[in-house]
Amino acid sequence: MQTDITGRLLICCPDRPGIVAGVSQFLYTCGANILDASQHSTDPREGLFFMRMAFQLEKAAITREQLEKDFQEKVAGPLKMDWHIDYTDRRKQMAIMVSRYDHCLMELLLRWRSGELPVDIPLVISNHTELEQLTRDFGIPFHYLPVNPDNKGAQEQEAIRLIKAANADFIVLARYMQILSPAFVSVFPGRIINIHHSFLPAFAGANPYKNAYTRGVKLIGATAHYVTNDLDEGPIIDQDVARVSHKHAVSDLMMLGRDIERQVLTRAVVAHIEDRVIIHGNKTIVF
């Protein structure tokens, strides 16, 4: 029995009239049915156009290779597009890196097991052993790679080897408390998602909730972003905050903060899985 293919097309190109019409007409001639379309134009000085279009195509209508070849020749080339098509019949492979904190890992694993995250998780990598049994209880391979100043480079290379061997499409740092080197980041550009325990850029560091308490803040938050060589300054995918007051103790801030981290990281991961994020410089367009 033949099933239809659902594709997600992401586009960035110079803004001009006729882009939506050109893409829509091309998909129509291929026998595709457009399921969803979202677009954004920057201000005239920058003059860029971004679009996400989800479409359904009869499996027998045209091969993916031919569709993409024709799209490049007839539409993308003339309109100077940067573009990508992903297909939903192949589940993305999500690698996870984590240290000792379990709340983000648990959130991802529970949502994965319930079917809310349509991905496969081929491995979890950690520089500590505390979460090994938890990971294995979900039937997921766990790899312990302890890191110290003397072996950091070698352990990163081993992590890269494991991630590549698992054919992982992207990596989630679920509170992985190590700074990744430029050499590691360069292997997975735009494919590493980090959750930061702060509404960036405030209160970065090892004790954000204590620092926030000392400062007497009225808001705490969390930020999910793509990892770049600039520490905690990569393109932001999602953020959220919660109001707090002088009545909240440090333990209250930690509990509230971890709840926000779980929610923000989940939303960012879902947006990435659903191909709703376009990276543009140090910003993102999230449809």
Side-chain angles (χ1 to χ4, degrees), residues 2 18 45 55 66-67 90 92 98 110-111 119 128 140 207 209-210 222 254-255 265 269 277:
Q2 293 183 337
R45 289 171 298 176
F55 60 91
Q66 189 62 51
L67 182 145
R90 178 190 175 274
K92 287 184 173 64
V98 65
L110 287 171
R111 289 182 180 273
V119 294
H128 296 281
I140 297 171
N207 294 296
Y209 298 111
K210 183 178 179 181
M254 291 178 66
M255 181 181 69
L265 180 59
V269 168
V277 186

Side-chain angles (χ1 to χ4, degrees), residues 224-258:
H225 64 94
Y226 288 110
V227 175
T228 64
N229 292 335
D230 298 318
L231 182 62
D232 297 328
E233 294 187 11
I236 292 170
I237 310 168
D238 201 288
Q239 294 182 291
D240 208 347
V241 295
R243 289 197 170 274
V244 295
S245 74
H246 59 278
K247 296 181 180 180
H248 289 87
V250 174
S251 58
D252 297 324
L253 301 188
M254 291 178 66
M255 181 181 69
L256 287 169
R258 288 175 181 175

